[in-house]
Amino acid sequence: MAAAVLAVTAFATACGDDDKKSDGKSDKAPAGSVLPATVDTTMGKVTVKDASRIVPLGGDVAQTVYALGLGSNVVGVDTSGAVLPESKGKPTFGNSRGLNPEGILAQRPTVAIGSASVGPRTAIDQLKAAGVPIVLIPDSSKPEDAVTRITTIATALGVPDKGRTLADRTAGEIATAKAKGAQAATKPRVAFLYIRGQANLYQIGGKGLGPDSMITAAGGIDTGTELGVQMSAALTPEAMVSAKPDVILVFQKGLESVGGVDGVLKLPGVAQTPAGRNRKVVAMDDLELGGGGPTAGVALNKLVDLLHG
C-alpha cells in the first residue's frame, strides 16, 4: 500500500500543476526556505529536502508549525493538533500514541515531525519505510525546552530565521513568567492530579511529568515530587493527606470528566486537604501544561496567576 501511495505521489509530482496538488494544498516551498536541512533527531541525523507537505505529530509541534507561518503546508494532524483553530478542516489520523500510518501516507507528506514519544513505533517504521523523512525531537521536560524545540523544528522545515525570532520571543516570555513566580509572596503546595472520570483513572503526578517542571517554574512546590512519585502513581487517601496541597491542579478535560470542582472534591482524600477545604482547584488545557511549544511562556504566566492568585 505504501508503495502505491508513493507511486501516486511521484506521478502527481511529474504530471500535476507545479503549484497545487489535487487537494488544493500548495506544493511550493515555504517563502525564504533554506532546504535541504540536516538536523539531529532521536533516531539520528535526518535530512529534509521538501517541507511543502508537513505532518506535525503532537499538539505543541502543530502549534509551532503554525506559529512559524507554515499552516498552509500542513496536510493533516493528530487529535491533539486537531483542537487548534488553525487545524479546522484538516484530516486527522489518530492520537499521538496511536497514529494511523495509512491515514498519514494518504496525505502524501514530504516530512513528518514530532516528539520522541509519538507512536507506536510500528507506525513510525512504516512511514520511514515509505520514504517519509521522520524528524523526532526529545520530549519537553521543562518550559525552557520549548526554545530548543522551536529552533530544531524551524531548521528542519527550512525557516531557521523565523525559528530564531519565535524562539527568542518564547524565551523572553518564559524568563518573565519565572521571575514573576519567584517574586510572588506565596509558595503554594500543588498536587497535579491526572484524572479521567470516564475511565476511572485517578493519579497523582510527580517528578518527570510535564506539570512538575511547570509548577516549580511558577514558584510552587510539587507535592507529588516531594512524596517521591516518579511520573505518576495511583491516587490514594494516604497520598493526598500526606501531600497537604494548597492547590489541586488538573487538566481542563480531566475536570470536566468528573463534573467540575465538586467531582474533584469527591476523589480519594482530596476533601481532607487544605486545597479541598478551600475548594482551590485550578485547571489548564493539556497543551498549556505540556509547555513544549511557543505558548510555553504565556502558559507559565497563566499558571503563576492561578497558583498565587
Side-chain angles (χ1 to χ4, degrees):
M1 179 173 181
V5 171
L6 289 176
V8 170
T9 304
F11 180 82
T13 301
C15 303
D17 186 282
D18 287 340
D19 293 345
K20 296 284 184 180
K21 288 288 188 181
S22 59
D23 58 5
K25 295 292 182 181
S26 172
D27 263 6
K28 282 188 173 181
S33 177
V34 183
L35 291 175
T38 300
V39 292
D40 290 319
T41 78
T42 58
M43 299 172 67
K45 291 186 180 297
V46 173
T47 297
V48 179
K49 299 179 180 180
D50 182 354
S52 62
R53 300 181 68 82
I54 305 167
V55 169
L57 306 174
D60 56 349
V61 175
Q63 274 186 329
T64 303
V65 174
Y66 291 137
L68 291 169
L70 301 176
S72 63
N73 296 85
V74 174
V75 295
V77 293
D78 65 9
T79 53
S80 61
V83 302
L84 300 170
E86 299 93 333
S87 295
K88 184 177 181 180
K90 294 185 184 294
T92 58
F93 31 70
N95 62 60
S96 60
R97 304 297 177 90
L99 296 171
N100 174 1
E102 289 82 9
I104 295 174
L105 288 171
Q107 304 309 316
R108 306 188 303 277
T110 58
V111 59
I113 187 163
S115 298
S117 59
V118 302
R121 183 56 188 258
T122 53
I124 300 301
D125 289 343
Q126 187 171 339
L127 295 177
K128 187 176 180 181
V132 180
I134 310 294
V135 178
L136 297 185
I137 58 180
D139 290 275
S140 176
S141 62
K142 58 184 183 299
E144 291 84 355
D145 289 342
V147 177
T148 303
R149 288 164 62 84
I150 290 168
T151 301
T152 301
I153 292 169
T155 299
L157 299 182
V159 288
D161 289 345
K162 289 183 178 180
R164 279 188 289 271
T165 299
L166 182 60
D168 287 347
R169 188 190 78 193
T170 303
E173 291 170 344
I174 292 171
T176 298
K178 288 186 70 173
K180 182 178 175 180
Q183 294 165 6
T186 59
K187 197 167 184 66
R189 299 175 57 79
V190 185
F192 169 70
L193 304 186
Y194 181 81
I195 53 182
R196 287 293 185 266
Q198 66 273 24
N200 290 317
L201 180 62
Y202 311 110
Q203 297 180 323
I204 182 170
K207 187 174 179 61
L209 208 62
D212 168 55
S213 61
M214 290 287 282
I215 291 168
T216 302
I221 298 169
D222 187 331
T223 59
T225 296
E226 190 179 68
L227 289 174
V229 174
Q230 295 292 322
M231 297 297 288
S232 63
L235 180 62
T236 65
E238 295 78 14
M240 288 307 299
V241 171
S242 297
K244 301 186 293 247
D246 303 306
V247 181
I248 302 292
L249 175 64
V250 296
F251 286 138
Q252 183 63 43
K253 288 182 180 178
L255 181 65
E256 294 168 359
S257 76
V258 294
V261 172
D262 288 339
V264 174
L265 297 181
K266 293 176 183 177
L267 298 179
V270 172
Q272 286 71 53
T273 66
R277 289 192 290 271
N278 294 318
R279 298 179 62 86
K280 185 66 172 178
V281 178
V282 299
M284 290 182 68
D285 182 81
D286 295 37
L287 286 180
E288 291 178 318
L289 275 178
T295 61
V298 175
L300 183 57
N301 184 70
K302 179 179 177 179
L303 183 60
V304 170
D305 291 339
L306 288 171
L307 297 187
H308 301 282

